[in-house]
Amino acid sequence: LFNSFAVFIYSLFGGDNGITVSGNIPKTITAGQEVPIELKITKGSMSGFAKLQLELPEGLSLKELDNKGANYSYMDGVAKWVWASLPSESEIVIKATLVAAASASGAKTIGAKYSFVENNAKQVVEMVPIEITVEAGSGATYR
């Protein structure tokens, strides 16, 4: 309990400049199913180069929907959005479709990190990892 409190206090006064990454990802998905997800970056007035990286475990993959002007790539469970110059909005919402393989099952952890340059130094903000459970299904695809 004390450690949780200490982390909370640090997050209030730490050097993250209010920059956060969060995900709107369901807690469960059925094998063979596709579900829409969102990743939100709260970046304030920051501009310039930045990269969002989403790490997916085996059995899950991603289809791009809305990249907010980023160059998107996906390979070996890692989705990347790279901006040479960030959009001007203080919040960026990336939309994608999470796909569970028909053979996938069990508990999975999804992680993300947002990298940017501030005062000529690379900074990284990590999303709190999201646990998702892949349940056995009929293999049907829902949208």
Side-chain angles (χ1 to χ4, degrees):
L1 184 61
F2 177 76
N3 287 343
S4 296
F5 182 71
V7 169
F8 173 73
I9 294 299
Y10 176 76
S11 69
L12 290 176
F13 300 105
D16 67 1
N17 298 326
I19 297 167
T20 61
V21 179
S22 59
N24 183 6
I25 300 173
K27 298 289 183 198
T28 59
I29 186 172
T30 303
Q33 185 181 23
E34 297 183 3
V35 295
I37 66 166
E38 292 181 347
L39 298 168
K40 182 169 85 170
I41 302 164
T42 303
K43 65 166 192 68
S45 61
M46 182 185 10
S47 61
F49 177 84
K51 176 178 78 170
L52 175 64
Q53 182 170 306
L54 183 70
E55 297 163 3
L56 297 168
E58 189 174 331
L60 297 178
S61 61
L62 202 70
K63 292 181 183 176
E64 176 190 29
L65 290 178
D66 183 1
N67 64 19
K68 294 297 183 190
N71 290 323
Y72 172 79
S73 65
Y74 179 81
M75 184 184 300
D76 298 328
V78 178
K80 294 180 185 177
W81 294 265
V82 178
W83 291 269
S85 182
L86 283 164
S88 59
E89 303 95 44
S90 63
E91 288 186 351
I92 301 171
V93 178
I94 300 291
K95 296 181 180 181
T97 301
L98 183 66
V99 180
S103 60
S105 66
K108 309 282 185 184
T109 302
I110 298 173
K113 56 186 171 184
Y114 175 67
S115 305
F116 57 97
V117 176
E118 182 177 57
N119 298 325
N120 294 323
K122 180 181 175 183
Q123 306 290 325
V124 178
V125 175
E126 293 195 32
M127 176 180 80
V128 174
I130 295 175
E131 289 285 327
I132 183 169
T133 302
V134 181
E135 299 174 337
S138 62
T141 300
Y142 303 96
R143 293 184 190 236

